[in-house]
């Protein structure tokens, strides 16, 4: 309702300004005014200087943004391929900045230099094949270099040798949460199908598949430092995107097919928390939360908990109303800590068996309950009749 009122007020305000403009035009009747649509020298001079003004604004804002928000970048990557990824990005940014600096200056300078003036005629310049070749071949060479370097980097990131020692983990996306499945000791994921989703079997695992007998399902992803992880990605419903920013990893999760992405984590969660840029970020976030907490407490609301850094798995596709909240915590452990955490986890097959046993027990107790109730009722009636006889 409030939004509707704001829209109505803005519409009425626009109409009022429009009417006031018409009234102002009526008051100017009789004054000498140039109503022609032809720009004068003064108009051209104003536009030329405005071009220089916009150029200055463009660069001042860009430099201001670098100092103002430059500290918000992710910082040091936590995966083996991360430095290659960052180098490609930095090279691309450097080239873009260099080309943009030259072209924008020339664009605005020539717009000023060749601004319109009375009796000035445009210069006709015939085609120049040599000049066109130069400004065509330079972008071709630069872009070809970027593309080849990008393909080289992408191949190094995506290539997984069949004989390579990797740990296979599945990431399962659904509106609006994630689940992870470890392939167990055989390092092979069991078959899965959405038609098999029932009860605790939320990933649709085929419990009769021999490869699924040691699979483990979790809602908090733990991975060991230094071990290459091959992620198999599935989606239950619509298109999602598994995004792990600090590992420089992202891959679409497509319904009906399995995609994959592999990387080797190089920094545990505790080690990342000790990085200077992360310490600074956490401190800044907690300052903001402290101010918000003071406001909430004054209003009688619950205070915010202090922020602690964690790796996160996010969805980088707008997948619905709760897309912003679709995330899962990732913990990078030492190999020893990872094995300690994993050994107590229950397999999906055992969880399904226990769930089925619990349901059967409930069904048996439900069948036995009515008979037990009848026995109690008959005892109560008998006791009441005995008391009546004693009174007689």
């Amino acid at each position: 309702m409030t939004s509707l009122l704001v829209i109505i007020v803005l519409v009425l305000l626009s109409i009022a300004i429009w009417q006031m403009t018409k009234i102002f035009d009526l008051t100017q009747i009789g004054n000498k005014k140039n109503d022609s649509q032809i720009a004068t020298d003064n108009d051209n001079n104003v536009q030329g200087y405005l071009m220089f003004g916009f150029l200055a604004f463009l660069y001042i804002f860009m430099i201001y943004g670098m100092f103002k928000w430059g500290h918000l970048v992710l910082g040091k990557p936590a995966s083996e391929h991360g430095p290659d990824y960052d180098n490609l990005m930095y090279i691309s940014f450097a080239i873009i900045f260099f080309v943009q600096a030259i072209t924008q200056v020339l664009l605005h300078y020539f717009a000023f230099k060749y601004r319109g003036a009375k009796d000035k005629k445009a210069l006709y310049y015939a085609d120049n094949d040599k000049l066109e070749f130069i400004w065509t071949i330079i972008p071709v060479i630069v872009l070809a270099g970027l593309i080849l370097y990008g393909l080289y980097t992408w191949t190094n990131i995506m290539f997984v040798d069949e004989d390579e020692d990797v740990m296979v983990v599945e990431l399962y996306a659904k509106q609006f949460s994630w689940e992870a499945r470890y392939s167990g000791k055989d390092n092979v994921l069991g078959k899965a199908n959405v038609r098999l989703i029932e009860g605790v079997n939320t990933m649709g695992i085929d419990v009769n598949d021999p490869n699924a007998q040691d699979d483990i399902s979790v809602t908090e992803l733990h991975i060991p430092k230094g071990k290459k992880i091959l992620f198999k990605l599935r989606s239950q419903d619509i298109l999602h995107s598994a995004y792990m920013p600090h590992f420089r990893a992202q891959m679409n999760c497509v319904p009906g097919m399995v995609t994959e992405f592999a990387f080797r984590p190089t920094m545990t969660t505790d080690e990342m928390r000790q990085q200077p840029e992360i310490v600074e970020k956490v401190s800044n976030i907690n300052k903001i939360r402290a101010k918000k907490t003071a406001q909430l407490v004054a209003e009688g609301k619950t205070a915010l908990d202090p922020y602690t850094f964690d790796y996160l798995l996010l969805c980088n596709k707008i997948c619905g109303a709760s897309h912003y909240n679709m995330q899962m915590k990732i913990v990078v452990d030492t190999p020893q800590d990872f094995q300690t955490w994993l050994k107590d986890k229950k397999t999906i097959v055992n969880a399904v068996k226990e769930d089925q046993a619990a349901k059967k027990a409930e069904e048996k107790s439900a069948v036995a309950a009515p008979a037990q109730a009848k026995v109690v009722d008959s005892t109560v009636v008998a006791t009441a009749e005995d008391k009546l006889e004693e009174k007689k």
Side-chain angles (χ1 to χ4, degrees), residues 44-189:
N44 291 326
N45 288 333
V46 170
Q47 295 299 321
Y49 286 113
L50 284 176
M51 292 295 283
F52 271 134
F54 182 77
L55 179 65
F57 166 79
L58 184 68
Y59 282 97
I60 290 172
F61 184 77
M62 183 171 61
I63 295 170
Y64 169 79
M66 291 173 64
F67 285 100
K68 179 68 175 178
W69 301 295
H71 66 283
L72 297 178
V73 296
L74 289 173
K76 189 175 181 180
S79 62
E80 188 177 51
H81 74 268
D84 291 336
Y85 182 97
D86 285 357
N87 286 339
L88 179 60
M89 183 183 68
Y90 294 145
I91 291 172
S92 300
F93 278 175
I95 294 173
I96 291 170
F97 181 82
F98 176 75
V99 174
Q100 184 257 4
I102 295 175
T103 55
Q104 290 299 316
V105 169
L106 291 176
L107 173 67
H108 291 79
Y109 169 72
F110 286 126
F112 172 79
K113 181 179 179 180
Y114 297 109
R115 65 193 184 278
K118 189 177 180 181
D119 299 329
K120 181 185 285 187
K121 295 182 179 180
L123 173 65
Y124 173 74
Y125 191 79
D127 294 339
N128 188 318
D129 294 337
K130 184 178 180 180
L131 187 60
E132 290 185 4
F133 176 80
I134 291 173
W135 69 43
T136 301
I137 198 64
I138 291 176
V140 167
I141 294 173
V142 172
L143 290 175
L146 284 176
I147 291 170
L148 290 173
Y149 182 38
L151 287 173
Y152 169 78
T153 305
W154 178 252
T155 302
N156 286 343
I157 293 172
M158 296 300 296
F159 179 75
V160 179
D161 193 343
E162 293 182 358
D163 300 328
E164 194 172 357
D165 182 22
V166 299
M167 184 173 75
V168 180
V169 177
E170 180 183 66
L171 297 178
Y172 190 55
K174 54 187 175 181
Q175 293 177 308
F176 296 97
S177 63
W178 295 93
E179 282 188 79
R181 176 166 59 125
Y182 294 90
S183 52
K185 294 182 180 180
D186 61 2
N187 206 31
V188 179
L189 292 167

Side-chain angles (χ1 to χ4, degrees), residues 181-202:
R181 176 166 59 125
Y182 294 90
S183 52
K185 294 182 180 180
D186 61 2
N187 206 31
V188 179
L189 292 167
K191 296 178 182 178
N193 194 307
V194 292
R195 295 181 179 86
L196 299 177
I197 295 175
E198 182 180 3
V200 296
N201 189 6
T202 53

